[in-house]
């Protein structure tokens, strides 16, 4: 009986460790892909320069189905959703004023309700 | 089994740490770039800014950034920035005693997101992000008419050919975004690529020689942003310039501000000066020298009678409104004079013939043959000089003598007017260019020194060839191949134009530099645009008054 208990605890511990490892594996993949997706969007925004960005402080929320600004083609692809074949990475792009000369661009990439990465930088006002 | 599971645990934990680190490093990079953008804005307000940032938080995310300036001299830490914007010599930083180039800032940013830190280092200078890879970059349509030549050289002192590309960012599917039209006797040549963002297959309608090929539907080129009104208003405390109402206006080094419209009745020459005009700028003559001009509204000026070819000279013109650059249509003027003056007509025809032969002779030879005392090429070159300028009346090539000098004298007797004055200056300049260093300047080295000090290329060919100054041959080539033997009325502009309006150039002009035009471009009747690549590199034409930007990223 004691031996059975010891073996059961050992198997339980092993299963817990195994499960935790799998969670880390999935999470690390999601973090890497979400960062790369956010980077793709933010680099394209920076590359366009301040003249080709929306003038107003706006939020484009891919989770809420906010469409692109077609005239400006903004936010750039892959907004609103990137898919790696197994999972959706949904983006939120926010603009806000930092001061009269600088604007903040925040890109959030979600892969579930709670988990996301945030990338923020500043661009000059035109 | 336990060992296997623990191995899996360790591996996945390691991968998890790596991905978290990658994510943190990525976030830190953007925080660092935010810090650079913030520092650039501070420097644009005050070029001497050295207050730095001390853990300044990002607005909408957990990042922070630090910038610390060294203001006390050595020793230098590798986390310290150095502001050398106000000095014309290189300064020390932690890398070396000359690690910070003249008129630049070595900016070291430390960024932190969570527990991840990243250090980024850049060099900032004026015009740092105004890199121009095109001879002409426009947001709207480009229309060319009449004879057009667009070519490129590496630098004013390096005549090595580079691509002279033309691009318009016109989006959508518009046709005819880049066009050329001309008479059967006229031609156009672009020694580079012609591209358009428009997806219409008829977006480019050149009907002319495009050596690099043309392509439509290419991505828009990045157009750097320059806050011209903000720059002008930030200089409102600068003194007003002293305008010479009876001749050329020379502005020495410094900043000058004009509160409204400014009309300069003659030529405007900058000697390291920055002119800020909060209105229209009209220059009846030319704008030349070395410096920058910021204009709130429209800019109108004329080409210059000469080109200095000095590698460190050029005008950076920033105009919020449209820019109109006028030539003098000197060929038409000479044709009119020649119709009633057979002596002038003969001298003009002979001058064109001699200059055409010179152009071919110059291009067929090298400094070694043109400068060697025993080489027939040098003998022919000197004969051509005698034909064009005054060597005591001795006849030279085609039995002619002092043609340029005689034409200047004859035209000076014609009715007064701006085109007459321009043509007198032009032929006087041509005459000076073909003088002899020993005969006219008391020595070849004197002529070279004069050119380096004043930009007057008198006897430059003769002196540089005879002294075998290979280092100056590129400048000689730049100047002497742009005389325009078939268009002796050609005028010049040496510098770069950045306008948020349209750009129009008309009537026999050579533009040595480049064009960045947010509106449309119109080139009419005999325009040559020579793109000079070095002019748009750090320390180039924007180094006096251009907006501050990133010139280089340093590896850390």
């Amino acid at each position: 009986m004691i031996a059975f208990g010891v073996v059961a605890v050992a198997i339980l511990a092993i299963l817990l460790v195994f499960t935790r490892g799998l969670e880390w594996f999935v999470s690390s993949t999601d973090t890497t892909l979400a960062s790369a997706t956010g980077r793709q969007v933010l680099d394209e925004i920076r590359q366009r320069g301040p003249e080709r960005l929306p003038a107003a402080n706006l939020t484009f929320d891919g989770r809420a189905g906010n469409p692109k600004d077609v005239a400006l083609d903004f936010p750039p692809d892959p907004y609103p959703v990137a898919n790696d074949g197994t999972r959706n990475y949904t983006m939120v792009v926010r603009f806000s004023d930092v001061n009269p000369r600088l604007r903040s661009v925040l890109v959030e990439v979600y892969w579930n309700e709670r988990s996301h990465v945030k990338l923020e930088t500043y661009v000059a006002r035109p | 089994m336990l060992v296997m599971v623990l191995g899996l645990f360790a591996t996945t934990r390691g991968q998890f740490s790596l991905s978290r680190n990658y994510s943190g490093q990525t976030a830190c990079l953007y925080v660092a770039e935010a810090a650079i953008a913030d520092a650039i804005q501070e420097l644009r307000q005050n070029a001497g800014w050295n207050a730095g940032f001390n853990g300044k938080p990002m607005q909408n995310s957990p990042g922070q950034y630090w910038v610390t300036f060294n203001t006390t001299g050595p020793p230098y830490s590798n986390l310290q920035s150095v502001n050398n914007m106000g000095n014309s010599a290189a300064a020390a930083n932690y890398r070396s005693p000359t690690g910070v180039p003249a008129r630049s800032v070595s900016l070291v940013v430390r960024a932190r997101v969570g527990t991840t830190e990243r250090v980024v280092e850049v060099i900032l200078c004026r015009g740092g992000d105004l890199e121009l890879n095109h001879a002409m970059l426009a947001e709207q349509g480009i229309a060319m008419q009449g004879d057009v030549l667009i070519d490129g050289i590496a630098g004013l002192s390096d005549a090595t050919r580079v691509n002279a590309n033309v691009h318009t960012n016109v989006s959508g599917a518009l046709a005819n975004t880049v066009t050329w039209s001309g008479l059967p006797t006229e031609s156009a040549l672009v020694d580079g690529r012609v591209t358009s963002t428009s997806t219409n297959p008829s977006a480019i309608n050149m009907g002319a020689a495009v050596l690099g090929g043309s392509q439509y539907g290419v991505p828009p080129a990045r157009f750097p942003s320059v806050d011209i009104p903000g720059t002008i208003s930030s200089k409102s405390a600068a003194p007003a310039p002293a305008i010479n109402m009876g001749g050329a206006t020379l502005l020495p080094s410094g900043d000058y501000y004009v509160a409204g419209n400014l009309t300069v009745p003659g030529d405007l020459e900058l000697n390291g000066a920055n002119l800020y005009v909060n209105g229209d700028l009209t220059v009846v003559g030319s704008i030349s020298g070395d410096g920058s001009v910021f204009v709130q509204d429209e800019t109108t000026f004329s080409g210059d009678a000469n080109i200095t070819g000095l590698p460190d000279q050029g005008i950076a013109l920033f105009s919020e409104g449209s820019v109109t650059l006028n030539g003098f249509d000197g060929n038409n003027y000479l044709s009119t004079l020649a119709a009633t003056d057979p002596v002038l007509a003969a001298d003009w025809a002979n001058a064109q013939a001699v200059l055409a032969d010179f152009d071919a002779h110059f291009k067929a030879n090298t400094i070694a043959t043109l400068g060697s005392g025993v080489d027939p090429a040098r003998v022919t070159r000197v004969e051509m000089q005698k034909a064009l300028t005054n060597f005591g009346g001795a006849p030279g090539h085609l039995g002619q003598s002092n043609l340029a000098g005689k034409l200047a004298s004859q035209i000076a007797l014609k009715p007064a007017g701006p085109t007459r004055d321009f043509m007198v200056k032009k032929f006087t300049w041509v005459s000076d260019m073909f003088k002899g260093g020993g005969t006219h300047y008391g020595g070849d080295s004197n002529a070279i020194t004069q050119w380096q000090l004043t930009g007057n290329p008198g006897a430059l060919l003769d002196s540089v060839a005879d002294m075998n100054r290979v280092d100056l041959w590129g400048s000689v080539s730049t100047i002497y191949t742009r005389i325009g033997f078939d268009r002796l009325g050609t005028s010049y502009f040496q510098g770069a134009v950045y306008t948020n309006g349209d750009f129009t150039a008309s009537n026999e002009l050579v533009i040595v530099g480049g064009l960045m035009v947010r509106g449309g471009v119109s080139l009419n009747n005999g325009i040559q645009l020579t793109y000079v690549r070095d002019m748009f590199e750090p320390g180039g034409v924007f180094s006096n008054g251009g907006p501050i930007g990133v010139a280089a990223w340093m590896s850390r």
Side-chain angles (χ1 to χ4, degrees):
Chain A
M1 193 67 184
I2 293 173
F4 181 78
V6 169
V7 169
V9 169
I11 289 174
L12 198 60
I14 288 169
L15 282 175
L16 281 173
V17 169
F18 190 78
T19 306
R20 185 68 179 152
L22 282 177
E23 281 176 5
W24 274 342
F25 180 79
V26 172
S27 178
S28 66
T29 304
D30 285 331
T31 303
T32 302
L33 289 175
S35 295
T37 303
R39 187 171 187 165
Q40 186 181 348
V41 172
L42 207 46
D43 282 348
E44 173 65 23
I45 290 171
R46 290 178 57 254
Q47 178 66 25
R48 291 184 180 195
E51 300 280 355
R52 292 176 187 275
L53 303 180
N57 291 332
L58 296 172
T59 295
F60 296 86
D61 191 340
R63 298 172 304 173
N66 289 169
K68 283 186 173 201
D69 181 328
V70 177
L72 283 173
D73 183 28
F74 192 89
D77 289 336
Y79 180 87
V81 178
N83 187 295
D84 70 338
T86 60
R87 192 189 285 273
N88 282 339
Y89 297 90
T90 309
M91 276 153 274
V92 179
V93 180
R94 303 177 199 273
F95 278 94
S96 59
D97 286 339
V98 177
N99 60 41
R101 305 183 304 274
L102 285 177
R103 304 179 75 195
S104 161
V105 188
L106 178 69
V107 176
E108 297 166 285
V109 184
Y110 289 81
W111 60 91
N112 62 40
E113 287 277 323
R114 291 172 293 117
S115 304
H116 67 283
V117 295
K118 269 186 179 182
L119 301 176
E120 182 187 17
T121 196
Y122 296 161
V123 294
R125 273 200 170 280
Chain B
M1 186 172 174
L2 179 64
V3 171
M4 286 174 63
V5 170
L6 287 176
L8 174 67
F9 181 78
T11 305
T12 52
R13 186 178 178 185
Q15 185 177 353
F16 182 69
S17 296
L18 280 175
S19 68
R20 289 289 299 267
N21 188 49
Y22 168 75
S23 178
Q25 287 285 327
T26 303
C28 278
L29 175 64
Y30 290 111
V31 171
E33 291 189 356
I36 293 168
D38 201 354
I40 286 173
Q41 296 308 317
E42 294 288 350
L43 287 162
R44 286 181 179 177
Q45 298 297 308
N46 170 19
W49 175 75
N50 60 9
F53 304 120
N54 185 18
K56 189 169 181 178
M58 293 294 287
Q59 178 153 287
N60 298 309
S61 63
Q64 289 175 276
Y65 51 86
W66 290 259
V67 170
T68 305
F69 280 89
N70 179 306
T71 56
T72 56
Y76 296 94
S77 146
N78 64 0
L79 290 178
Q80 286 181 325
S81 304
V82 175
N83 187 336
N84 192 37
M85 194 63 82
N87 296 318
S88 55
N93 67 354
Y94 78 96
R95 289 179 179 272
S96 76
T98 56
V100 191
R103 296 178 181 179
S104 63
V105 175
S106 167
L107 190 78
V108 179
V109 175
R110 185 161 63 94
R112 180 189 292 168
V113 176
T115 57
T116 308
E117 278 203 2
R118 185 163 185 166
V119 176
V120 169
E121 181 180 345
V122 293
I123 296 291
L124 307 176
C125 70
R126 294 195 181 280
D129 58 0
L130 281 178
E131 185 183 13
L132 179 62
N133 296 316
H134 300 78
M136 181 161 54
L137 175 60
E139 289 279 12
Q140 302 298 322
I142 297 171
M144 296 177 263
Q145 175 264 318
D147 286 323
V148 174
L149 169 61
I150 299 175
D151 60 1
I153 54 178
L156 289 170
S157 58
D158 179 359
T160 305
R161 178 204 163 277
V162 298
N163 282 332
N165 299 327
V166 172
H167 176 78
T168 173
N169 276 343
V170 172
S171 57
L174 286 179
N176 299 322
T177 59
V178 184
T179 62
W180 175 77
S181 61
L183 301 171
T185 55
E186 295 172 327
S187 65
L189 186 148
V190 180
D191 191 6
R193 296 180 76 211
V194 176
T195 53
S196 173
T197 299
S198 168
T199 55
N200 191 313
S202 299
I204 299 168
N205 186 5
M206 285 290 285
V210 180
L211 301 186
S214 58
Q215 189 176 352
Y216 61 91
V218 303
R222 179 178 171 273
F223 211 111
S225 177
V226 179
D227 179 10
I228 297 171
T231 305
I232 293 171
S233 64
S234 71
K235 299 293 181 179
S236 59
I243 303 299
N244 183 352
M245 303 307 289
T249 295
L250 174 65
L251 294 185
S253 179
D255 291 342
Y256 302 91
Y257 177 81
V258 178
N261 297 337
L262 173 64
T263 298
V264 180
D267 294 332
L268 175 62
E269 189 176 337
L270 309 185
N271 186 9
N274 303 309
L275 176 62
Y276 304 90
V277 180
N278 195 8
D280 291 332
L281 172 64
T282 303
V283 181
V284 174
S286 61
I287 305 177
S288 64
D290 182 32
S292 65
V293 180
F294 286 78
V295 182
Q296 175 65 40
D297 295 317
E298 313 279 308
T299 306
T300 305
F301 64 110
S302 300
D304 201 356
N306 58 50
I307 180 175
T308 69
L310 284 171
D312 57 350
Q313 281 208 344
I315 297 297
L317 171 61
F318 297 91
S319 183
E320 187 70 8
S322 295
V323 173
T324 303
L325 173 52
N326 294 312
F328 288 90
D329 203 5
N331 253 32
N332 191 37
Y333 173 78
L334 287 171
S335 295
T336 305
L337 292 183
T340 57
D341 187 336
V343 175
L344 185 146
D347 284 345
W348 179 35
N350 285 325
Q352 288 183 95
V354 172
L355 282 167
D357 288 349
F358 168 79
D359 193 65
H361 187 65
F362 184 88
K363 289 172 179 170
N365 284 281
T366 64
I367 184 173
T369 55
L370 290 171
S372 170
V374 296
D375 198 296
R378 181 183 184 278
V379 175
T380 302
R381 185 257 293 172
V382 173
E383 290 296 298
M384 291 172 170
Q385 290 178 239
K386 289 177 180 174
L388 290 166
T389 195
N390 188 1
F391 275 80
H397 189 65
L398 304 181
Q400 301 298 315
S401 66
N402 193 25
L403 287 167
K406 285 192 282 192
L407 281 164
S409 301
Q410 291 169 53
I411 295 168
L413 300 175
K414 303 298 180 187
T419 305
R420 182 203 69 169
D421 295 345
F422 168 80
M423 290 308 304
V424 170
K425 283 173 67 177
K426 178 70 187 276
F427 280 115
T428 302
W429 179 66
V430 172
S431 175
D432 285 347
M433 288 170 66
F434 286 96
K435 284 179 175 173
T439 305
H440 297 97
Y441 290 90
D444 291 327
S445 59
N446 292 344
I448 292 172
T449 302
Q450 176 202 252
W451 170 67
Q452 290 170 329
L453 290 176
T454 67
N456 178 1
L460 192 64
L461 165 69
D462 184 83
S463 304
V464 169
D466 285 354
M467 294 186 72
N468 195 33
R469 289 288 300 271
V470 178
D471 58 317
L472 302 179
W473 194 242
S475 295
V476 170
S477 180
T478 298
I479 299 167
Y480 283 77
T481 56
R482 283 168 181 76
I483 297 171
F485 62 86
D486 53 346
R487 288 184 178 274
L488 283 169
T490 295
S491 56
Y492 305 91
F493 172 69
Q494 183 171 318
V497 175
Y498 179 109
T499 171
N500 286 323
D502 297 329
F503 176 82
T504 303
S506 304
N507 295 332
E508 299 175 353
L509 274 159
V510 174
I511 301 166
V512 180
L515 303 176
M516 306 163 93
V517 181
R518 282 215 179 274
V521 175
S522 178
L523 306 181
N524 307 307
N525 185 24
I527 305 298
Q528 178 176 353
L529 170 60
T530 296
Y531 167 62
V532 184
R533 188 189 60 197
D534 289 358
M535 211 179 251
F536 299 94
E537 295 190 344
V541 70
F542 297 120
S543 61
N544 274 313
I548 294 167
V550 177
W553 292 79
M554 313 298 284
S555 62
R556 292 292 293 240

